[in-house]
């Protein structure tokens, strides 16, 4: 009996020693197998119980159970300790230094001209206009003829056109214009014809897009620029509608106090034609270099759609009228922000563009 009791004690202290040295859950498990497993040491000791006198058995059995319990508790304790240690080590290893300064994120923003174009689209949307786009590569027919500008018309000089070369036609460095009249559109007006031919009346469309001209580039001219064309075709629309709407548009874009005026103008595709001016935003109308001392700045051309153009679009001018207008968002943006040179828009200079990060 004393032998067995001593053996149980030995087992307890062996368990304590071994567990204290165990450095992983795996090792603890191996110890559990060795001491408490089916062919483990405790089982081996219990097998000897049979040879112990009957009156001593209960006390020894109790002692054995006590030992098992104690070892199991020690195993659980050691596992808990190892887990906590593992977690602590991982936390230390994966720690994030929250005090480190972040890397600045550079966010992009719209180009100021695009912001103006978006604003105009919003403003005109309130008047029921939808966007209708046309191709940048056009034909002379759409760019000129169908807009009532025949080939020999002197007004062609108003649009210095870039011709697409006939493939393989370059001789001594000189290309020949394509015989099918393919050009880069010199204005967005050709979409008037395309919209009339594609849509049912009443038509209210806005055509934003890029235009191209053979221009010497200077502070107020680019060879590539934006226009926004507007077209309305309906049974009873008038110059008064056009005037009222454009005045509201100018106020929405430049503020309630903006001064406006209409002047007679000339375009072959409108009759009558007008030019729409706003009071100079730089000098307030007194006269300054920006407005060439006139106190006014022209922001668009407009007019009632010429009967010939209506007919070319498929409408009978006795039944339908229309008005049209063409705006220059580059110039309108320059006026908005007091930008003195159109070339800045295409300069890709972040010092310039970054000033419009707020969107306007
Ligand atoms: N297409 C003209 C230009 O490029 C601008 C323009 C004037 C458009 C009058 C129009 C208009 O629709 O009615 O100079």
């Amino acid at each position: 009996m004393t032998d067995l009791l001593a053996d149980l004690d030995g087992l307890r202290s062996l368990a304590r020693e071994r567990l204290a040295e165990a450095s992983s859950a795996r090792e603890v498990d191996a110890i559990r197998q060795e001491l408490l497993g089916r062919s483990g040491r405790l089982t081996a000791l219990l097998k000897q119980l049979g040879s112990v006198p009957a009156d001593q058995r209960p006390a020894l059995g109790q002692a054995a159970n006590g030992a098992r319990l104690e070892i199991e508790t020690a195993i659980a304790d050691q596992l808990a300790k190892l887990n906590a240690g593992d977690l602590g080590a991982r936390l230390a290893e994966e720690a994030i230094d929250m005090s480190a300064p972040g890397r600045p994120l550079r966010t992009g923003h719209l180009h100021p001209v695009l912001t103006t174009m978006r604003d105009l689209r919003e403003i005109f949307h309130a008047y029921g206009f939808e966007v209708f786009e046309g191709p940048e590569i056009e034909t002379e027919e759409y760019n000129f003829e169908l807009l009532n500008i025949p080939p020999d018309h002197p007004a062609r000089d108003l649009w210095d056109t870039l011709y697409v070369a006939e493939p393989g036609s370059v001789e001594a460095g000189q290309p020949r214009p394509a015989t099918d009249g393919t050009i880069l559109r010199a204005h967005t007006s050709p979409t008037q014809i395309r919209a009339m031919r594609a849509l049912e009346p009443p038509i209210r469309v806005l055509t934003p897009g890029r235009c191209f001209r053979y221009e010497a580039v200077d502070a107020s001219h680019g060879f590539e620029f934006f226009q926004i064309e507007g077209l309305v075709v309906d049974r009873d629309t008038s110059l008064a509608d056009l005037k009222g709407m454009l005045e509201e548009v100018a106020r929405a874009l430049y503020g309630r106090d903006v001064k406006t005026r209409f002047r007679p103008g000339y375009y072959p595709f409108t009759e009558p034609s007008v030019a729409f001016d706003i009071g100079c935003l730089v000098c307030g109308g007194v006269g300054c270099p920006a407005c060439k001392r006139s106190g006014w700045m022209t922001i668009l051309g407009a007019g009632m759609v010429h009967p010939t153009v209506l007919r070319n679009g498929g409408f009978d001018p006795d039944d339908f009228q229309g008005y049209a207008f063409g705006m220059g968002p580059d110039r309108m943006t320059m006026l908005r922000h007091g930008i003195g040179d159109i070339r800045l828009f295409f300069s890709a200079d972040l010092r310039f563009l970054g000033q419009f990060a707020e969107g306007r």
Side-chain angles (χ1 to χ4, degrees):
M1 141 122 191
T2 30
D3 276 3
L4 256 181
L5 271 182
D7 285 349
L8 280 172
D9 268 348
L11 202 60
R12 292 229 281 283
S13 40
L14 178 71
R16 267 197 300 277
E17 263 167 48
R18 299 279 309 277
L19 282 170
E21 282 162 17
S23 60
S24 72
R26 256 177 154 212
E27 284 176 40
V28 173
D29 212 52
I31 296 168
R32 185 209 310 274
Q33 283 300 326
E34 188 190 329
L35 302 185
L36 307 181
R38 239 196 273 174
S39 42
R41 296 214 190 179
L42 185 65
T43 315
L45 286 181
L46 287 175
K47 278 187 185 141
Q48 298 174 29
L49 264 185
S51 57
V52 167
D55 60 333
Q56 292 177 11
R57 269 183 221 155
L60 273 175
Q62 221 175 354
N65 276 337
R68 175 188 286 279
L69 213 71
E70 193 184 310
I71 294 172
E72 273 173 355
T73 309
I75 286 175
D77 284 352
Q78 182 64 13
L79 276 179
K81 211 152 113 194
L82 286 175
N83 271 341
D86 276 1
L87 189 64
R90 264 181 56 201
L91 283 178
E93 193 177 308
E94 297 172 9
I96 295 169
D97 181 0
M98 305 293 260
S99 69
R103 269 184 231 126
L105 260 190
R106 288 184 64 125
T107 48
H109 57 86
L110 285 184
H111 191 281
V113 175
L114 283 186
T115 302
T116 300
M117 292 174 74
R118 282 198 171 187
D119 290 348
L120 283 166
R121 195 178 64 193
E122 288 274 296
I123 293 167
F124 278 99
H125 188 70
Y127 289 95
F129 284 77
E130 60 180 324
V131 170
F132 180 94
E133 301 210 55
E136 292 174 353
I137 299 171
E138 263 292 5
T139 61
E140 287 190 283
E141 192 191 9
Y142 275 92
N143 196 84
F144 293 118
E145 272 99 291
L146 293 169
L147 291 172
N148 199 31
I149 318 169
D152 51 357
H153 198 291
R156 282 224 180 183
D157 296 345
L158 294 175
W159 295 275
D160 296 301
T161 308
L162 285 162
Y163 289 81
V164 173
E166 185 73 27
S169 71
V170 184
E171 269 167 38
Q174 277 299 317
R176 225 180 24 247
T179 46
D180 61 0
T182 306
I183 60 163
L184 299 184
R185 69 177 171 197
H187 51 174
T188 44
S189 299
T191 16
Q192 289 189 29
I193 303 291
R194 295 186 180 276
M196 282 191 272
R197 290 183 174 180
L199 304 173
E200 293 297 320
I203 294 171
R204 288 178 101 77
V205 289
L206 213 55
T207 296
R210 235 175 261 276
C211 304
F212 310 87
R213 285 188 201 169
Y214 184 60
E215 296 259 17
V217 174
D218 64 23
S220 53
H221 296 87
F223 60 86
E224 179 191 17
F225 54 94
F226 285 103
Q227 279 193 347
I228 301 180
E229 192 82 10
L231 173 73
V232 169
V233 177
D234 207 345
R235 281 190 190 275
D236 54 354
T237 174
S238 70
L239 197 62
D241 293 343
L242 171 69
K243 288 181 72 177
M245 188 188 66
L246 290 181
E247 278 169 359
E248 280 307 315
V249 169
R251 288 193 196 109
L253 198 64
Y254 293 110
R256 304 291 326 159
D257 299 331
V258 73
K259 280 191 272 179
T260 58
R261 78 171 181 189
F262 289 88
R263 291 183 287 125
Y266 172 73
Y267 297 100
F269 33 89
T270 42
E271 181 59 38
S273 303
V274 295
F276 182 52
D277 300 344
I278 59 170
C280 178
L281 298 168
V282 178
C283 67
V286 192
C288 70
C291 60
K292 300 208 180 85
R293 318 222 163 267
S294 72
W296 295 95
M297 293 170 146
T298 303
I299 59 167
L300 58 82
M304 299 304 291
V305 180
H306 194 285
T308 302
V309 176
L310 275 174
R311 247 181 249 116
N312 290 340
F315 289 95
D316 182 344
D318 289 333
D319 293 337
F320 288 93
Q321 300 88 50
Y323 61 75
F325 49 90
M327 303 177 274
D330 302 276
R331 185 170 157 71
M332 292 168 94
T333 307
M334 290 168 76
L335 296 181
R336 223 178 176 187
H337 299 294
I339 297 163
D341 195 323
I342 198 172
R343 288 169 290 197
L344 286 166
F345 288 147
F346 295 98
S347 66
D349 185 339
L350 291 179
R351 289 169 306 177
F352 168 72
L353 294 172
Q355 298 175 69
F356 305 95
E358 239 74 65
R360 57 189 58 224

